[in-house]
């Protein structure tokens, strides 16, 4: 359910497996590897990429897809319990991807059904498949994650992607700069964990302090929906917008990542620079999910 407990060997194995699906994900090679298998996507929260890249991956591999992205069109609307919904989809499918606003829901689902459950994001907790595709993106762009300096910029506290990615990066020999205003900095429990693992990191408030030396700038949106009081989020709006001027100080081959959707963090003019890597990143999500679905279904 989280990348926290994965070893480096396990992470490398998943990334190596995903690499084998590049041609299939692109549609240049046909595959029937998951012919007859059914994926259920149960999205209690909105999604563009996580839901559709899992579904596209399943379709590329010859499988089928069922599920929902709006509980209003299901019997949840009539009061059906979470347990009964999960049991039902466990009967109709071979693997489930679930996204839910509450922490720990993917684990709850996995305790209810016998089919494998993939966490597509549980509240402000974790987003492990995004963490995997982020590792994949860095490795593919840079050849290795070892030796990289990576800035994680924005709402470090609430961004579940950063939680998962930080645990993933903690298995590699890289340096992480957490760039956020104090109230949105790294969660103490994650900081304690990565300190125990000997991860090299620092916490800074301005990207300009590290932009010259980093290989990756990963910026994300303010997670306003995760604030207990949404009004409190307003004062951080616009705190981190990537100024195209700053790129003059960046390494020539520095890449910019974003899990998307973006709001104001990356001005559109940056899309045409060689630094922009976020569309490649979201494409990689489909490649990685081809690998993951094949692994969890025991087909590879
Ligand atoms: N990256 C990501 O989780 O995007 P969606 O919210 O569109 O799934």
């Amino acid at each position: 359910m989280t990348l926290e407990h994965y070893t480096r060997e396990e992470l490398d194995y998943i990334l190596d497996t995903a690499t084998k699906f590049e041609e299939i994900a692109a549609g240049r090679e046909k595959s029937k590897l998951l012919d007859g298998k059914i994926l259920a996507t149960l999205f209690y929260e909105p999604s563009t990429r996580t839901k559709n890249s899992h579904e596209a991956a399943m379709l590329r591999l010859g499988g089928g897809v069922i599920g929902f992205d709006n509980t209003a069109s299901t019997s949840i609307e009539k009061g059906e319990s979470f347990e009964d919904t999960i049991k039902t989809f466990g009967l109709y499918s071979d693997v489930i991807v679930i996204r839910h606003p509450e922490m720990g829901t993917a684990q709850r689902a996995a305790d209810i059904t016998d089919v494998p459950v993939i966490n597509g994001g549980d509240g402000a907790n974790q987003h492990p498949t995004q963490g995997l595709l982020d590792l994949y993106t860095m490795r593919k762009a840079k050849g290795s994650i070892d030796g990289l300096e990576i800035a994680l910029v924005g709402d470090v506290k609430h961004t579940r992607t950063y939680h998962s990615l930080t645990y993933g990066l903690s298995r590699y020999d890289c340096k992480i700069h957490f760039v956020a205003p104090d109230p949105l900095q790294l969660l103490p429990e994650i900081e304690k964990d990565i300190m125990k693992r000997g991860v090299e990191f620092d916490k800074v408030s301005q990207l300009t302090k590290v932009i010259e030396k980093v290989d990756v700038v990963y910026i994300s949106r303010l997670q306003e929906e995760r604030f207990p009081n949404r009004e409190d989020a307003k004062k951080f709006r616009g705190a981190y917008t990537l100024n195209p001027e700053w790129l003059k100080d960046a390494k020539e081959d520095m890449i910019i990542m974003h899990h998307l959707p973006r709001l104001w963090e990356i001005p559109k003019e940056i899309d045409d620079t060689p630094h922009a890597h976020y569309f490649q990143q979201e494409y990689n999500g489909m490649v990685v999910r081809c690998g993951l679905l094949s692994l969890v279904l025991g087909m590879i």
Side-chain angles (χ1 to χ4, degrees):
M1 291 306 136
T2 120
L3 295 191
E4 189 180 341
H5 305 295
Y6 280 59
T7 64
R8 176 173 175 140
E9 289 67 33
E10 288 166 337
L11 291 172
D12 281 341
Y13 180 67
I14 297 169
L15 303 186
D16 290 344
T17 302
T19 306
K20 297 177 189 158
F21 289 90
E22 284 278 357
E23 291 302 302
I24 293 166
R28 288 189 289 268
E29 242 178 55
K30 297 269 176 265
S31 171
K32 286 283 171 202
L33 187 66
L34 301 186
D35 187 18
K37 301 288 186 195
I38 295 175
L39 164 70
T41 49
L42 313 185
F43 277 64
Y44 293 77
E45 256 191 1
S47 166
T48 300
R49 280 146 285 274
T50 309
K51 179 175 182 293
N52 290 293
S53 62
H54 274 101
E55 294 182 351
M58 194 65 179
L59 296 171
R60 289 288 197 209
L61 293 168
V65 178
I66 59 172
F68 58 82
D69 55 14
N70 183 356
T71 55
S73 65
T74 73
S75 289
I76 298 165
E77 188 70 4
K78 301 177 211 158
E80 182 173 69
S81 70
F82 179 78
E83 283 69 19
D84 285 359
T85 304
I86 299 301
K87 264 188 197 148
T88 304
F89 279 98
L91 297 172
Y92 295 163
S93 67
D94 302 289
V95 55
I96 290 173
V97 180
I98 184 169
R99 170 173 287 186
H100 198 285
E102 284 168 31
M103 288 189 189
T105 336
Q107 184 57 57
R108 257 180 80 205
D111 293 339
I112 292 165
T113 178
D114 290 334
V115 305
V117 175
I118 295 174
N119 185 358
D122 61 324
N125 188 28
Q126 299 286 331
H127 192 348
T129 65
Q130 179 74 43
L132 287 170
L133 79 89
D134 294 340
L135 293 176
Y136 186 82
T137 298
M138 289 180 200
R139 197 177 81 159
K140 189 167 148 185
K142 297 288 177 189
S144 171
I145 299 166
D146 291 326
L148 296 182
E149 284 204 35
I150 298 148
L152 300 185
V153 187
D155 187 353
V156 174
K157 179 181 180 181
H158 298 109
T159 303
R160 55 193 178 193
T161 298
Y162 285 171
H163 303 164
S164 295
L165 178 59
T166 299
Y167 281 119
L169 289 173
S170 74
R171 298 303 192 192
Y172 294 87
D173 185 17
C174 57
K175 179 166 182 178
I176 313 172
H177 304 280
F178 295 101
V179 185
D182 274 348
L184 302 183
Q185 261 296 357
L186 187 61
L187 289 170
E189 57 269 30
I190 299 182
E191 180 165 353
K192 216 167 107 194
D193 286 347
I194 63 172
M195 278 175 86
K196 268 196 230 151
R197 291 183 185 187
V199 175
E200 208 184 335
F201 73 95
D202 59 18
K203 296 190 284 184
V204 295
S205 58
Q206 293 302 327
L207 178 59
T208 46
K209 291 210 162 71
V210 294
I211 195 149
E212 284 177 19
K213 54 186 172 186
V214 294
D215 304 287
V216 178
V217 169
Y218 194 145
I219 192 161
S220 69
R221 79 181 163 85
L222 183 63
Q223 309 280 306
E224 292 197 22
E225 69 277 27
R226 309 286 176 219
F227 281 69
N229 178 358
R230 249 186 125 124
E231 281 299 301
D232 293 342
K234 282 189 179 162
K235 61 175 175 284
F236 299 109
R237 277 187 189 171
Y240 291 101
T241 301
L242 203 47
N243 184 336
E245 284 295 307
W246 298 345
L247 298 180
K248 289 187 189 135
D249 298 324
K251 287 182 179 176
E252 224 172 89
D253 61 349
M254 180 274 283
I255 61 166
I256 300 168
M257 295 174 61
H258 191 306
H259 55 70
L260 303 177
R262 66 175 151 176
L263 300 178
W264 51 75
E265 310 80 49
I266 305 179
K268 241 184 118 10
E269 63 193 280
I270 291 181
D271 295 359
D272 297 326
T273 71
H275 300 293
H277 217 72
Y278 25 96
F279 296 117
Q280 178 66 48
Q281 179 185 0
E282 68 176 352
Y283 173 78
N284 290 340
M286 181 173 51
V287 179
V288 169
R289 284 157 179 150
C290 280
L292 273 179
L293 290 170
S294 305
L295 281 169
V296 299
L297 289 168
M299 301 304 285
I300 195 163

